[in-house]
Amino acid sequence: LRFNLQMVNPGANELGPQRLWMYLPVGKNDWWTLDAVETDLAHALQTDSLGHTILFVETRAFSGFARRSAALGVRLKRASAQVPAHVDAGEWLRAERFIESEDKMITAQALTLRAATEQATVWNIYEFVVSHLVYAGYVSEDLGALYALKQRRGDCSEYASLVVALCRALGIPARRVGGYVTDRSFAPKPMDFHDWAEVVLDGRWRVVDAQKGAFADREFQYVPFRYYRDVMLNNLGTSHRYRVEGNMEFSV
């Protein structure tokens, strides 16, 4: 994946050093391993308890209206072996902001989708979300699972959140993931960032993407950057893709 990073001082006054944290592909999952990070920027790579990879950059001072650009490349290689995921059930079962799995409306809906096996249950959840929601195009703010269930619309975030909430309501570990979907090398645009659900089936995380129509297949096309949680895990806080400390404007 190739990115063009743009850093701008929007004002006439000089800015002191600025700090940037940005998610890169997670270090390893069942399908991909992060192999290399290539950029001319002086940087450090950080990790956290969920295995995120974070690019940290501290710039020198910016003169008024200065603009800097930098290329960033990340190289991935396929995981050498399919190994069962280590799953902390409590980590991915509780209700969270936008994953309202204990709400009465969500729990009632989930019970109607329960089947004899977890595989069949998750398939029912997937089919329900596919048929229940209408894709509303990109929405800048998160709206959550309960909104999606009630309003029957949303973007990829709401599709993923509703799948996750319905699974958690039935005791099936699930998480919302952000990243890119591709079958080749490419330079992502901002609108290419995508959210999907991952659900534990037979001891492994499997992709369940009700918005793009993938159920435990085409998983090598899914490159995770972020596992969403509503707790502070690293210096990005609750930012989806990057966070700037300072007054510079940043785009990728």
Side-chain angles (χ1 to χ4, degrees), residues 76-122:
L76 301 160
K77 64 180 180 181
R78 288 198 175 187
S80 58
Q82 296 286 301
V83 295
H86 172 71
V87 179
D88 181 347
E91 187 84 2
W92 304 109
L93 281 172
R94 67 178 180 83
E96 300 183 75
R97 187 183 183 204
F98 303 124
I99 308 292
E100 303 97 334
S101 53
E102 295 178 355
D103 179 86
K104 291 181 180 179
M105 187 173 179
I106 286 180
T107 56
Q109 182 62 61
L111 288 172
T112 71
L113 302 170
R114 177 178 279 163
T117 66
E118 285 192 347
Q119 178 89 16
T121 297
V122 177

Side-chain angles (χ1 to χ4, degrees), residues 137-157:
Y138 171 71
V139 179
S140 59
E141 69 272 15
D142 287 334
L143 299 171
L146 187 58
Y147 171 92
L149 184 61
K150 290 179 176 179
Q151 301 300 322
R152 305 190 63 169
R153 65 195 311 272
D155 67 4
C156 60
S157 301

